[in-house]
Amino acid sequence: MTCAFEWGEGKTFRVRQEFLRPGGEPVAELTGVGGLLDLRARRLVHDPKARWRELAASPELLGL
């Protein structure tokens, strides 16, 4: 399985996953759209990329 984050300029980001057989043959691909919610403001965080960078112990795993 692979997992890659795709960062844009807006309030959302994409997570792309690819599922592979043991030999490496792709069997499925899944793409999701995500965002970070500010629970106090009840709105999406303006720059989720920057916020994830602050929180992540290993930001390179998120493509940051």
Side-chain angles (χ1 to χ4, degrees):
M1 184 170 126
T2 66
C3 182
F5 286 76
E6 298 174 352
W7 303 99
E9 298 300 319
K11 295 181 181 182
T12 61
F13 54 89
R14 293 187 183 275
V15 180
R16 189 173 306 271
Q17 296 175 301
E18 191 176 57
F19 297 85
L20 309 169
R21 294 192 188 279
E25 177 188 359
V27 294
E29 184 177 304
L30 175 73
T31 302
V33 176
L36 291 178
L37 184 64
D38 179 329
L39 294 177
R40 291 182 192 202
R42 297 184 145 232
R43 303 222 182 263
L44 290 176
V45 172
H46 179 70
D47 186 1
K49 184 177 180 179
R51 185 70 176 125
W52 274 116
R53 191 179 293 117
E54 292 172 11
L55 296 172
S58 300
E60 65 279 358
L61 295 176
L62 300 172
L64 300 172

